[in-house]
Amino acid sequence: MESPRIIAGVTRVVRDVGIAEELAQDALVAALEQWPRDGVPDNPGAWLTAVERRRAVDLVRRRENYARKLTEIGRDLSETAPPQEPADPEDIDDDLLRLVFTTCHPVLSAEARTALTLRLLGGLTTPEIARAFLVPEPTVAQRIVRAKKTLATRNIAFEVPYGPEREARLGSVLDVIYLIFNEGYAATALDDWLRPALCEDALRLARVLSALMPKEPEVHALTSLLEFQASRAAARTGPDGEPVLLKDQNRRRWNRMLIARGITALHRADATATGAPGPYALQAAIAACHAHAYTYEETDWKSIATLYGLLAARAPSPVVELNRAVAVSMAEGPAQGLAIVDALAAEPTLRDYHLLPSVRGDLLARLGRTAEAREEFVRAAGLARNERERELLLRRAADPS
């Protein structure tokens, strides 16, 4: 629980997230050795931070390649004992925010940002990250090592940027959190459709970021979106873990507390916005429409279709357009939705995207074109990498009606 704050606090001193992580682990080992003997201190986080800062000085002294850092910071730190607790709790939060922006720096690849963020802020181990994203452990380990090395060799400042740079970097931070949540919400592959631990990690990061950046509307909007999505988790799978489609979900199982949190976060996003709503605000508004409907039939599909239209204009992508097609089909009829889907048939990025034939199959089934629908569901099943989702698509192929 304390690890991200400890790493953040010492990164400000040593300017290297890799070294800071090592020092945090050393401090935790010291706690395991001393606390059973001496008792747990009143402020464990401050104790760990103090130990880590003392070891930072020792490490700088020992390593010749950090001689320059010793000149800059080691002498002052060695002459002044580290404080037993932070002088200002807000300083820790500032450091944590700096760490978020550092691990999600655009100089790193999207895969490296995700792995490093989960490692330092989510507390996941290398094997856990590898299992979550279905890649070999050595690949994840290499990504993390290279990411730390890149941050160090490129002299990436440990800071929260401002102005246009902050806006550009914030998008990267939000995208990483969103990616982590989505992988937990609808797993890409393997047997389980849901991976609740990943959803919880992403939601926790979003809530932390909302507290640290209270004036950023898109931060609150992303938090709202994840609260709404997480509220459906219990209803999204059946007794054996099989996927349950939105129209078939028991909405009494939706978590009303998370929905209330989502509404509150969306209000904060609206209150802090100064211009047109951003992509996450629009997605949160769409999720709110679903949350407000106590039955599938009560869903305000016209509003959802309008919001998807705004989202397509604000952040155009083939996936957004595919989602808009579903909303349009519900608001205006399946034929109108099918026209949008057919226009996406030649889109290269959707060539192997199983949801394109899945949506098309659903629309064809609603139009009574059963044989064509069956073909689309079979094709979608062939592209799906998640076993649970593949089984669902094959069941729909057997009975498209």
Side-chain angles (χ1 to χ4, degrees), residues 268-281:
R268 288 182 184 138
D270 292 338
T272 53
T274 56
Y280 288 116

Side-chain angles (χ1 to χ4, degrees), residues 144-189:
I144 293 172
V145 169
R146 289 172 183 168
K148 293 175 184 176
K149 185 176 180 180
T150 298
L151 294 175
T153 57
R154 296 284 291 272
N155 273 330
I156 300 300
F158 183 62
E159 64 181 8
V160 178
Y162 293 92
E165 185 183 356
R166 176 171 179 164
E167 184 177 350
R169 294 260 297 272
L170 180 59
S172 173
V173 172
L174 299 181
D175 289 347
V176 166
I177 296 174
Y178 185 57
L179 174 64
I180 294 170
F181 184 89
N182 274 352
E183 183 57 31
Y185 191 70
T188 305

Side-chain angles (χ1 to χ4, degrees), residues 342-366:
D342 286 344
L344 295 170
E347 175 57 48
T349 58
L350 297 182
R351 183 178 58 187
D352 298 322
Y353 189 53
H354 69 286
L355 291 183
L356 178 62
S358 174
V359 169
R360 192 168 190 273
D362 183 70
L363 297 177
L364 289 169
R366 289 167 56 192

Side-chain angles (χ1 to χ4, degrees), residues 19-75:
I19 294 176
E21 185 186 18
E22 293 176 12
L23 292 170
Q25 292 171 353
D26 287 346
L28 293 171
V29 170
L32 289 173
E33 293 172 346
Q34 297 181 39
W35 290 1
R37 182 187 68 232
D38 303 333
V40 178
D42 293 336
N43 190 331
W47 189 98
L48 290 164
T49 300
V51 170
E52 190 179 24
R53 286 179 177 174
R54 283 196 293 270
R55 296 194 179 204
V57 177
D58 294 338
L59 185 63
V60 169
R61 285 173 175 159
R62 287 198 306 268
R63 298 191 177 183
E64 292 181 358
N65 58 329
Y66 284 96
R68 180 180 58 80
K69 293 184 179 180
L70 173 61
T71 302
E72 294 174 358
I73 63 173
R75 186 176 297 110

Side-chain angles (χ1 to χ4, degrees), residues 42-375:
D42 293 336
N43 190 331
W47 189 98
L48 290 164
T49 300
V51 170
E52 190 179 24
R53 286 179 177 174
R54 283 196 293 270
R55 296 194 179 204
V57 177
D58 294 338
L59 185 63
V60 169
R61 285 173 175 159
R62 287 198 306 268
R63 298 191 177 183
E64 292 181 358
N65 58 329
Y66 284 96
R68 180 180 58 80
K69 293 184 179 180
L70 173 61
T71 302
E72 294 174 358
I73 63 173
R75 186 176 297 110
D76 290 340
L77 286 173
S78 63
E79 294 172 355
T80 305
Q84 291 302 308
E85 60 183 48
D88 182 356
E90 293 301 318
D91 288 344
I92 291 182
D93 287 346
D94 288 344
D95 287 340
L96 190 57
L97 187 57
R98 292 185 186 101
L99 184 61
V100 171
F101 274 90
T102 301
T103 61
C104 296
H105 197 287
V107 73
L108 305 175
S109 68
E111 295 82 4
R113 287 179 227 158
T114 302
L116 192 59
T117 300
L118 284 174
R119 176 65 171 270
L120 298 184
L121 291 161
L124 273 68
T125 64
T126 298
E128 287 172 334
I129 299 170
R131 285 197 301 271
F133 289 94
L134 309 175
V135 292
E137 288 183 32
T139 301
V140 172
Q142 289 173 2
R143 285 176 183 172
I144 293 172
V145 169
R146 289 172 183 168
K148 293 175 184 176
K149 185 176 180 180
T150 298
L151 294 175
T153 57
R154 296 284 291 272
N155 273 330
I156 300 300
F158 183 62
E159 64 181 8
V160 178
Y162 293 92
E165 185 183 356
R166 176 171 179 164
E167 184 177 350
R169 294 260 297 272
L170 180 59
S172 173
V173 172
L174 299 181
D175 289 347
V176 166
I177 296 174
Y178 185 57
L179 174 64
I180 294 170
F181 184 89
N182 274 352
E183 183 57 31
Y185 191 70
T188 305
L190 289 183
D191 296 333
D192 295 328
W193 197 38
L194 291 181
R195 296 182 185 174
L198 279 181
C199 291
E200 291 166 5
D201 283 326
L203 186 52
R204 182 178 62 81
L205 289 174
R207 289 170 178 169
V208 167
L209 199 60
S210 287
L212 298 179
M213 305 183 71
K215 296 181 181 180
E216 292 289 346
E218 278 292 83
V219 173
H220 294 305
L222 176 63
T223 305
S224 172
L225 173 62
L226 302 194
E227 300 278 12
F228 282 133
Q229 299 293 78
S231 72
R232 306 179 201 164
R236 294 188 72 240
T237 54
D240 297 324
E242 70 278 11
V244 178
L245 298 176
L246 180 64
K247 64 185 179 70
D248 299 322
Q249 289 176 17
N250 179 357
R251 300 195 174 203
R252 289 191 296 274
R253 299 189 67 196
W254 286 10
N255 189 316
R256 306 313 299 185
M257 182 190 73
L258 292 181
I259 289 174
R261 291 181 67 104
I263 293 170
T264 299
L266 186 55
H267 287 163
R268 288 182 184 138
D270 292 338
T272 53
T274 56
Y280 288 116
L282 291 168
Q283 291 181 72
I286 291 168
C289 288
H290 289 294
H292 285 303
Y294 283 93
T295 66
Y296 185 74
E297 292 71 25
E298 293 176 21
T299 306
D300 186 355
W301 288 107
K302 288 186 178 180
S303 293
I304 292 175
T306 299
L307 288 166
Y308 267 121
L310 294 173
L311 181 60
R314 182 74 171 78
S317 83
V319 173
V320 169
E321 194 67 5
L322 183 62
N323 287 326
R324 187 175 77 86
V326 174
V328 168
S329 77
M330 297 302 297
E332 302 176 17
Q336 287 78 0
L338 184 61
I340 299 173
V341 171
D342 286 344
L344 295 170
E347 175 57 48
T349 58
L350 297 182
R351 183 178 58 187
D352 298 322
Y353 189 53
H354 69 286
L355 291 183
L356 178 62
S358 174
V359 169
R360 192 168 190 273
D362 183 70
L363 297 177
L364 289 169
R366 289 167 56 192
L367 289 168
R369 295 161 61 176
T370 305
E372 294 173 83
R374 181 177 291 108
E375 291 178 3

